[in-house]
Amino acid sequence: MYGLHQGVHHFQSFDQIQSLPKILSKRKIATGIIGKKHVGPADVYPFDFAHTEENNSIMQVGRNITKIKILVREFLAKSKKDPFFLYVAFHDPHRCGHTNPEYGQFCEKFGNGEPGMGLIKDWSPIYYQPDEITPPDLPYFIPFTRAAQEDVAAQFTTMSRLDQGVGLIMKELQSAGVDGSTLVIYTSDNGIPFPSGRTNLYDPGLSEPMLIHSPLHRKRQGKVTYSMTSLLDVTPTILDWFGIEKPSQLTGRSLLPLLTDEPEEDRPIFASHTNHEVTMYYPMRAVRTKRYKLIHNLNYKMPFPIDQDFFISQTFQDMLNRTRNKEPLNWYKTLQNYYYRPEWELFDLRLDPEEYYNVANKKSYKKIFDDLKTQLWQWQNATNDPWLCAPGAVLENTGEFKLHPACLSAGYFNDDLY
Amino acid sequence: MYGLHQGVHHFQSFDQIQSLPKILSKRKIATGIIGKKHVGPADVYPFDFAHTEENNSIMQVGRNITKIKILVREFLAKSKKDPFFLYVAFHDPHRCGHTNPEYGQFCEKFGNGEPGMGLIKDWSPIYYQPDEITPPDLPYFIPFTRAAQEDVAAQFTTMSRLDQGVGLIMKELQSAGVDGSTLVIYTSDNGIPFPSGRTNLYDPGLSEPMLIHSPLHRKRQGKVTYSMTSLLDVTPTILDWFGIEKPSQLTGRSLLPLLTDEPEEDRPIFASHTNHEVTMYYPMRAVRTKRYKLIHNLNYKMPFPIDQDFFISQTFQDMLNRTRNKEPLNWYKTLQNYYYRPEWELFDLRLDPEEYYNVANKKSYKKIFDDLKTQLWQWQNATNDPWLCAPGAVLENTGEFKLHPACLSAGYFNDDLY
């Protein structure tokens, strides 16, 4: 998907994609989805059991943990003890101030028992004092302002709903008697919705929880891995669990070996972002090793676009107002340098985990830069990235170039061309 | 469609779109398509009779005029004398050097009887001497170079195939006895594939033939109208012909009244272009009156992207080489000013039909500029354009903004913000 599926954005996966539910269905593995779907077309993502925004209120199937618990129970009862794949996509802790401000910025009031908010029986909301959310609990990429503290406090309350929801699901696995044979993966599909987070390829945008629980791998239970993982690894991991061969075009790898041993060497991970909203064209490609991160901003002469969701948040509105009023933002960047980014950003994360100092043009980093650039290009090539030659050249891959695709320079940025 | 449907571009119309074949099918009008389709998804464009790139070689159904003639005959025989709508989408005179260079830049050799080219029985190719194609036959926006002359000569030969193909279809209407009751519209879906043409909103990109033949409107037969028309008028015109009410959201108008009288006043026409290839993000919106044209370039800080098709053409390759070698382009622009365009371009077409002098910032044109800007914004608003607020602001239209959508400035270009 180049961007969002819903509404006017209308991005669609290719029809020939062999999605996880498609591959698993062919093997007679029961598939289920509860909560946020956000992908299409429907034919490409066929689930036997589906309760999503397509046939339900996303609030109910994505945030009402009692409803989610009952749906999980229903699915497990149907699949009996046969092999199954269940994808529970909590909508929490997604913002909702943009679509449903009546429930609060993060829907943190939804189901808390207050008048008009309904009651989610299984949820005991945990409340946080905005004042108490200070650095380092308030991370470096969020302005240290009252507006942001309140915003984060609201999100934390929402997270209490998510956390308790996960607990309920774990209990359902036990009650159904499948906890001893079920692999559980807990992760997220995007980074935290604060500046430098979601829709960015800076670390706050890429960092996501990755917890794996396997009753069949006891050696490292409760242990932490320092190996880097990626969402591209989820499908290979699940296929590995079911003993299904991984389609050769997938560049991710199974994470199951991590449950036994910490690898001696690590590989780079790759990240890609193109559109989000259809109007938010800001393609970026990135490679990250344990020490370095290289980001290629393809539409870099234009400002980095702010999504409708985050734009309307009190955190961002406050940043905008402070900038307009020349007041301190209490933030590690200015809006201007957040909006305008160079084509290449290279960070030495060991010395600069906040990704503040771009060393792309430093002579001493030239070899690192070139190596990472080559690795990124190879990955784009391996994944048939249409932006392989962007922004400076045109990809020709048909006709006389069919067997030997080429990036031909258009001289867009070649100052000596003119 | 925001851009191309095929391949990696994969743009799709919205599922709820009431397309022309959909509306007509409901009224039991037989629908047919022969040739280039290039839209999707299939459900939105249901034709009873379809011979397109989806089930045929585009070369055969789009350029082999003998094949096209026979398909037209077949369709007319099936529909008998019942009401029908037939869309014959010649692929000619589209370039093909990009995909099928073996047939020449414009497939001008395809079916000419030479070895390996096959033979289209009904086509008598007309050949042109490149030397003889000089200004004013070679228009101002095409470089006066040998490379371009050869390219244009090849396209002219292709046009001889298209022209003769249209003649064949007209004869089929006669043979089927429906010529006395059939409205014929001849137009094109894009401007000429030369610089400032196709994928541009300059006049060479917008200018298309528009010939209408109606056996029921004899008053102005053979006459020329000076009224401006748009492809947005095609659906309203056909619905009018069949006596079907126009859906209120369509902003075009029926052209049938033009067949009777020249209107005293004219309206502005509007144009929109967003993507073409998925990597070619360069949204533009334009309004044109008889005298003025205003173009809004939304991604204006980035270079105007050249499509794969035109990039590889000998005309463009020659322009690129000449620029590299500091040789004269014999052209009205430089590549640099072709690539880099201001956000707003305003042309006074009466004084400057070549759209060379941008008067957007001239004080004496301020009122014109403001008026056109307002008209363009109103049209974008009426058509629910997601880019309504781009590039400077964020459109908020859900939650508390649901009833009153608003453009909220992000301060992207607001120099005094920083």
Side-chain angles (χ1 to χ4, degrees), chain A residues 1-189:
Chain A
M1 313 265 315
Y2 300 131
L4 296 176
H5 177 60
Q6 76 272 22
V8 298
H9 317 299
H10 203 52
F11 289 100
Q12 311 269 1
S13 294
F14 296 145
D15 296 324
Q16 74 275 19
I17 292 291
Q18 291 300 307
S19 69
L20 193 51
K22 228 174 187 175
I23 298 172
L24 298 179
S25 292
K26 277 186 199 150
R27 306 292 182 119
K28 311 284 181 207
I29 294 164
T31 59
I33 180 172
I34 297 166
K36 180 175 168 180
K37 189 172 176 196
H38 274 42
V39 289
D43 288 353
V44 172
Y45 301 96
F47 286 89
D48 303 322
F49 179 95
H51 292 264
T52 70
E53 71 269 26
E54 291 175 2
N55 56 6
N56 279 271
S57 147
I58 185 70
M59 301 295 281
Q60 291 301 329
V61 295
R63 303 195 197 250
N64 180 344
I65 57 177
T66 299
K67 169 96 177 166
I68 293 170
K69 175 188 81 175
I70 291 166
L71 288 171
V72 169
R73 189 176 297 168
E74 197 182 314
F75 174 77
L76 293 176
K78 273 192 179 180
S79 64
K80 292 169 191 156
K81 291 196 178 179
D82 291 337
F84 68 87
F85 165 66
L86 176 60
Y87 173 44
V88 183
F90 288 89
H91 203 34
D92 285 328
H94 198 285
R95 284 186 186 280
C96 81
H98 167 240
T99 52
N100 295 78
E102 66 275 22
Y103 297 124
Q105 294 266 327
F106 283 93
C107 277
E108 69 277 7
K109 299 178 197 166
F110 175 71
N112 72 358
E114 286 176 19
M117 294 298 130
L119 181 69
I120 298 173
K121 269 206 214 160
D122 290 290
W123 180 34
S124 308
I126 302 176
Y127 297 101
Y128 295 82
Q129 290 298 331
D131 286 348
E132 290 181 8
I133 300 171
T134 55
D137 292 333
L138 191 78
Y140 66 90
F141 55 88
I142 299 181
F144 185 12
T145 58
R146 178 73 193 182
Q149 286 175 305
E150 287 176 1
D151 221 6
V152 171
Q155 198 194 27
F156 281 5
T157 297
T158 301
M159 283 178 186
S160 76
R161 192 166 54 209
L162 166 67
D163 279 349
Q164 294 170 32
V166 173
L168 293 174
I169 294 179
M170 297 304 280
K171 275 192 199 142
E172 290 302 320
L173 292 176
Q174 283 174 10
S175 310
V178 295
D179 57 317
S181 57
T182 300
L183 179 76
V184 180
I185 302 178
Y186 174 90
T187 186
S188 171
D189 64 345

Side-chain angles (χ1 to χ4, degrees), chain A residues 409 417, chain B residues 313-329 335:
Chain A
S409 172
L417 187 62
Chain B
S313 72
Q314 66 183 61
T315 296
F316 189 75
Q317 285 296 309
D318 180 65
M319 290 167 71
L320 210 48
N321 287 334
R322 285 169 182 263
T323 302
R324 279 197 189 105
N325 301 333
K326 319 274 180 215
E327 290 168 18
L329 267 74
L335 269 189

Side-chain angles (χ1 to χ4, degrees), chain B residues 124-331:
Chain B
S124 307
I126 302 174
Y127 298 102
Y128 296 82
Q129 290 298 331
D131 285 348
E132 291 180 8
I133 299 170
T134 55
D137 292 334
L138 190 78
Y140 66 90
F141 54 88
I142 299 181
F144 185 11
T145 58
R146 177 73 192 181
Q149 286 175 304
E150 287 176 2
D151 220 6
V152 172
Q155 197 194 28
F156 281 4
T157 296
T158 301
M159 283 179 188
S160 76
R161 193 166 53 210
L162 166 68
D163 278 349
Q164 293 170 32
V166 173
L168 294 174
I169 294 178
M170 296 304 279
K171 275 192 199 141
E172 291 302 321
L173 292 176
Q174 282 173 11
S175 310
V178 295
D179 57 316
S181 57
T182 300
L183 178 78
V184 179
I185 302 178
Y186 174 90
T187 187
S188 170
D189 63 346
N190 56 244
I192 185 171
F194 281 90
S196 297
R198 176 168 172 263
T199 76
N200 283 273
L201 299 189
Y202 297 128
D203 268 11
L206 293 185
S207 295
E208 291 153 9
M210 176 57 86
L211 283 78
I212 302 185
H213 175 262
S214 163
L216 308 186
H217 296 75
R218 305 205 162 263
K219 188 174 166 199
R220 298 188 77 203
Q221 256 180 21
K223 297 285 191 303
V224 166
T225 177
Y226 292 92
S227 185
M228 290 191 302
T229 65
S230 152
L231 289 181
L232 299 184
D233 302 330
V234 171
T235 292
T237 302
I238 294 170
L239 293 180
D240 189 12
W241 176 262
F242 286 115
I244 300 171
E245 203 184 345
K246 187 182 85 163
S248 61
Q249 64 269 44
L250 297 186
T251 60
R253 66 176 179 192
S254 170
L255 301 177
L256 296 185
L258 285 183
L259 305 183
T260 312
D261 293 299
E262 188 74 353
E264 288 190 18
E265 290 199 13
D266 217 345
R267 58 165 180 174
I269 59 153
F270 298 93
S272 174
H273 179 95
T274 302
N275 252 90
H276 201 71
E277 296 163 21
V278 70
T279 55
M280 280 172 64
Y281 183 79
Y282 200 84
M284 299 174 284
R285 301 292 183 267
V287 54
R288 191 196 195 284
T289 64
K290 280 192 178 176
R291 176 150 180 190
Y292 300 104
K293 157 108 53 88
L294 180 69
I295 302 176
H296 193 191
N297 297 307
L298 305 181
N299 202 48
Y300 67 100
K301 288 176 179 279
M302 288 295 287
F304 178 83
I306 307 299
D307 62 276
Q308 294 174 325
D309 215 5
F310 178 56
F311 183 86
I312 210 64
S313 72
Q314 66 183 61
T315 296
F316 189 75
Q317 285 296 309
D318 180 65
M319 290 167 71
L320 210 48
N321 287 334
R322 285 169 182 263
T323 302
R324 279 197 189 105
N325 301 333
K326 319 274 180 215
E327 290 168 18
L329 267 74
N330 297 337
W331 192 41

Side-chain angles (χ1 to χ4, degrees), chain A residues 2 8 308 339 396 410 412, chain B residues 2 8 306 308 339 395-396 410:
Chain A
Y2 300 131
V8 298
Q308 295 173 325
Y339 286 163
E396 293 289 349
Y412 293 133
Chain B
Y2 299 132
V8 297
I306 307 299
Q308 294 174 325
Y339 286 162
L395 170 65
E396 294 289 349

Side-chain angles (χ1 to χ4, degrees), chain A residues 24 86 168 215 250 298 334 342 354 386:
Chain A
L24 298 179
L86 176 60
L168 293 174
L250 296 187
L298 305 181
T334 64
E354 300 188 358

Side-chain angles (χ1 to χ4, degrees), chain B residues 59 96 100-111 116-118:
Chain B
M59 301 294 281
C96 81
N100 295 78
E102 66 275 21
Y103 297 124
Q105 294 266 326
F106 283 93
C107 277
E108 69 277 8
K109 299 178 195 165
F110 175 72
M117 294 298 130

